[in-house]
Amino acid sequence: MKFFIDTANIDEIKKAKQWGILDGVTTNPSLIAKEGITHKTRVQEILELVGDLPVSAECVESDYDKLIGEARDIASWAPNVYVKVPMTPTALEVVKELSPQGVNFNVTLVFSLPQALLAAKAGASFISFFVGRIDDMGSGEAAQNIADAVRMVKNYDFPKDPEILVASIRGPLQVTESIRSGAQIATIPYKIMEQLFHHPLTDIGVKNFYDDYVKATGKDVDLGAASL
Ligand SMILES: O=C(CO)[C@@H](O)[C@H](O)[C@H](O)[C@H](O)COP(=O)(O)O
């Protein structure tokens, strides 16, 4: 499963890149607003930083003519840009029009299996299935929904070979569920990526090995690199 980072923060992207686990970046207008910088400037900085990894940049227009113009513009920034559009009828018309022309789309705000099917039929490359917001509603359906969507994209033929991208991840459990479901991608906020390295038994194990080494040799070891 590919790990994307869900952020518009440059330091966080640098850190994930340094860990060697980064397969792509997703941004959205809320994440970019937090950075206090213009959308285009920040997306271009991210593109420069990550080379040819996929970077999703979201459209905000809703009218067809404006949205198709915005999508064309964003797609022109780099070949590895994935134009993010919400799961609306107008946005899917835009996907249907531009996807055969080589534009890669990430259809976002997908919460149900039929919505995922519509996005796949329109020609999406990534389908962003939100789990956190579904889990917030307490239905307990999120994990099953992703597994069903993964099976759906394998079972049928679609214009592009769409990948299920699990979004709105709020904790390590949802990462586990994404792996179990066979999702192709999970986009994970930095803080949660950091948590994934940890397990109480790993932390205790590192400390025990350290203590035994010091006891046996009398030499000290800098544990800095072993801890985040
Ligand atoms: O849609 C994508 C990725 O394609 C994400 O950037 C997506 O917008 C974010 O994961 C969500 O907006 C975060 O949602 P939440 O955790 O605030 O509910």
Side-chain angles (χ1 to χ4, degrees), residues 109-131:
L109 289 165
V110 170
F111 293 90
S112 74
L113 196 56
Q115 284 182 324
L117 180 75
L118 293 173
K121 284 170 85 69
S125 300
F126 296 157
I127 300 172
S128 286
F129 219 107
F130 279 43
V131 288

Side-chain angles (χ1 to χ4, degrees), residues 14-15 26 37 39 59 68 78-79 90 92 101 118 137 139 146 154 159 171 175 179 184 190 203 207 213 226:
K14 280 187 183 159
K15 194 73 198 171
T26 55
I37 190 164
H39 184 237
C59 293
I68 200 163
T90 309
L92 292 196
Q101 297 174 31
L118 293 173
M137 292 171 69
S139 66
I146 316 166
K154 285 186 186 149
V175 179
I179 299 167
Q184 288 83 6
Y190 176 79
D203 300 342
K207 186 171 177 342
Y213 177 86

Side-chain angles (χ1 to χ4, degrees), residues 39-59:
H39 184 237
K40 187 169 181 179
T41 307
R42 180 44 52 95
V43 172
Q44 285 178 333
E45 285 171 358
I46 295 172
L47 284 163
E48 207 164 296
L49 183 60
V50 302
D52 58 6
L53 295 182
V55 175
S56 292
E58 191 156 342
C59 293

Side-chain angles (χ1 to χ4, degrees), residues 73-94:
D73 178 40
I74 292 177
S76 74
W77 296 349
N80 50 321
V81 165
Y82 282 64
V83 180
K84 237 171 109 179
V85 291
M87 174 63 223
T88 65
T90 309
L92 292 196
E93 275 180 54
V94 169

